[in-house]
Amino acid sequence: FASSQAAPSAEASTSSSYSIPSEMKAWTYTEYGGVEVLKLESNVAVPQVKEDQVLIKVAAAALNPVDFKRRLGKFKATDSPLPLENLTKKISSDRSGYDVAGVVVKVGSQVKGLKEGDEVYGDISEKALDGPKQFGSLAEYTAVEEKLLALKPKNLDFAQAASLPLAIETAYEGLEKAGFSEGKSILVLGGAGGVGSLVIQLAKQVFGASKVAATSSTGKLEFLKSLGADLAIDYTKENFEDLPEKFDVVYDTVGKKNDLDVALLGTELDMIYVRMTTGQCDRAVKAVKEGGSVVALTGAVTPPGFRFVVTSNGDSLKKLNPYLESGKVKALVDPKGPFPFDKVNEAFSYLETNRATGKVVIYPI
Ligand code: NDP
């Protein structure tokens, strides 16, 4: 019971000039499974704010693969227990949603840098997998630590801002961890996805890459070029590891063989075997220069490749805000969206096809 609601003793805010209801609408689930377990509840308790948190009136949210992987129970080991069915009423049981953009309507007693009325954005879970938040961003209100947020770039609307945090922080952290710097070359596997589309842009615009190559299916090659890719590789026609050119860094956001290869396989055991032995990371290693780095986000990793899990960090967003405000780095909302709040299940079905371009966004909330 305790884990499914904010401890009342954690309440450490004074008052708010906003009129905040005690209950809200939020997408919740009480059992692991596919999109069918998601429910839009209308009487979920609005979260209390702890002393270092603010309460956000959510305007927009974005979906990430980690949301549905969690819902499918892939991270059971680190998840807090699912709330029991009969406890969902009047307590916050929502677990979906990392990315948020909205307005601060209440501040905790120790909050220094934000005030009521500020328009903010961020990834609300500091560690994507460890102790993730009970209160997701797919809700009318969400409570977030001040340090995970930044002021929304002035030129972006809420939907655009919500599309960024987890993906841009992942892109940035991976490039930093790979030691990427001015004058280096990079190959981005999965360049059209939420993370890949930002890796291309950050490599070029923020880090000063000498050359950016990226992979996608045929219909998205022009999109890769519009993001700044110098070389767009059609993975349905070419094997990137067969290119004579090698790269200083390979950033692998795909982590498995392409769908065609997987579809040709028989049992799930076959698939696991292929992932462990001849997965994308294995191929990625063949495309890197001697002494270079291979960053992988998912799947098995072959040395010298390494995998990391993103840490949400408002300071990274603050650092990147000038690039967003100058338009050098663009927020990319998938053209099938934004999806309205009552269509979150449809938005997830779309994301789960693994074919999204840029980010799947929920707006308005
Ligand atoms: P998306 O759902 O946005 O990725 C969809 C894109 O992937 C599509 O545009 C698709 O392009 C492309 N794609 C699919 N298969 C291939 C392929 N074989 N080669 C090239 N492109 C391909 O996912 P995200 O970018 O949000 O996340 C990517 C992965 O990284 C997920 O598994 C996610 O869980 C993980 N991740 C891990 C993080 C961490 O901290 N470790 C943080 C963030 C994400 P097309 O239609 O052209 O195939």
Side-chain angles (χ1 to χ4, degrees):
F1 183 86
S3 64
S4 57
Q5 58 183 329
S9 59
E11 164 73 59
S13 65
T14 44
S15 58
S16 167
S17 55
Y18 286 83
S19 137
I20 300 167
S22 58
E23 293 182 359
M24 64 176 182
K25 288 187 187 166
W27 283 89
T28 72
Y29 56 94
T30 53
E31 57 182 316
Y32 290 115
V35 284
E36 69 284 353
V37 302
L38 279 168
K39 302 274 180 298
L40 179 55
E41 298 275 5
S42 56
N43 56 353
V44 172
V46 169
Q48 308 289 323
V49 288
K50 297 181 184 165
E51 55 191 17
D52 60 342
Q53 292 182 326
V54 302
L55 185 68
I56 296 176
K57 172 74 188 76
V58 179
L63 307 186
N64 289 283
V66 65
D67 285 306
F68 67 76
K69 290 180 183 179
R70 273 185 82 196
R71 185 193 352 102
L72 289 166
K74 289 184 191 291
F75 309 123
K76 271 183 197 163
T78 53
D79 271 358
S80 43
L82 279 170
L84 300 172
E85 186 76 55
N86 62 358
L87 295 179
T88 59
K89 307 298 173 204
K90 310 231 166 147
I91 63 167
S92 291
S93 55
D94 172 53
R95 337 183 106 231
S96 289
Y98 287 71
D99 286 327
V100 71
V103 178
V104 173
V105 292
K106 195 174 188 180
V107 296
S109 58
Q110 297 298 314
V111 170
K112 302 272 187 305
L114 293 174
K115 58 183 188 318
E116 284 177 27
D118 281 344
E119 297 184 346
V120 293
Y121 75 130
D123 163 5
I124 68 170
S125 276
E126 184 167 14
K127 290 280 176 195
L129 306 184
D130 299 342
K133 283 234 171 21
Q134 288 279 329
F135 312 114
S137 60
L138 293 170
E140 291 177 307
Y141 292 87
T142 194
V144 192
E145 288 81 344
E146 173 187 23
K147 67 179 180 181
L148 306 185
L149 298 168
L151 290 176
K152 177 175 78 64
K154 293 184 190 61
N155 56 325
L156 301 187
D157 60 29
F158 284 112
Q160 291 168 323
S163 77
L164 288 161
L166 188 145
I168 205 167
E169 286 168 356
T170 303
Y172 188 68
E173 191 177 338
L175 286 166
E176 282 211 313
K177 285 194 153 65
F180 198 69
S181 58
E182 194 172 349
K184 288 190 175 175
S185 63
I186 187 167
L187 168 63
V188 185
L189 304 179
V195 178
S197 57
L198 285 159
V199 176
I200 294 173
Q201 295 189 80
L202 296 192
K204 196 83 180 191
Q205 301 294 342
V206 178
F207 287 79
S210 59
K211 179 163 189 177
V212 179
T215 62
S216 75
S217 57
T218 317
K220 295 180 180 172
L221 298 172
E222 284 310 313
F223 176 65
L224 299 185
K225 290 201 179 136
S226 75
L227 301 175
D230 304 291
L231 176 65
I233 304 163
D234 184 342
Y235 71 77
T236 70
K237 302 204 172 104
E238 254 184 299
N239 286 326
F240 60 81
E241 70 271 33
D242 296 340
L243 289 173
E245 184 176 0
K246 304 296 165 199
F247 298 86
D248 294 306
V249 169
V250 179
Y251 198 126
D252 180 5
T253 76
V254 177
K256 62 176 166 59
K257 301 198 87 188
N258 66 39
D259 285 352
L260 189 67
D261 296 327
V262 173
L264 290 174
L265 296 167
T267 64
E268 200 171 302
L269 270 181
D270 285 341
M271 283 175 57
I272 292 166
Y273 177 72
V274 167
R275 272 195 203 189
M276 288 173 65
T277 54
T278 58
Q280 180 108 359
C281 187
D282 237 24
R283 297 172 60 205
V285 165
K286 293 187 185 142
V288 77
K289 281 182 189 166
E290 178 100 33
S293 302
V294 177
V295 191
L297 295 182
T298 180
V301 178
T302 310
F306 68 91
R307 197 172 58 193
F308 75 101
V309 176
V310 61
T311 302
S312 172
N313 179 356
D315 287 340
S316 301
L317 296 179
K318 287 174 196 158
K319 227 183 275 180
L320 293 167
N321 271 7
Y323 296 93
L324 293 159
E325 290 190 331
S326 68
K328 284 188 171 164
V329 175
K330 294 189 170 47
L332 302 158
V333 176
D334 184 285
K336 286 214 171 29
F339 291 79
F341 190 46
D342 61 353
K343 298 277 193 299
V344 161
N345 44 0
E346 285 178 25
F348 267 118
S349 295
Y350 174 55
L351 179 72
E352 291 173 44
T353 64
N354 196 26
R355 294 278 85 81
T357 303
K359 294 295 301 177
V360 177
V361 171
I362 309 300
Y363 175 83
I365 293 179

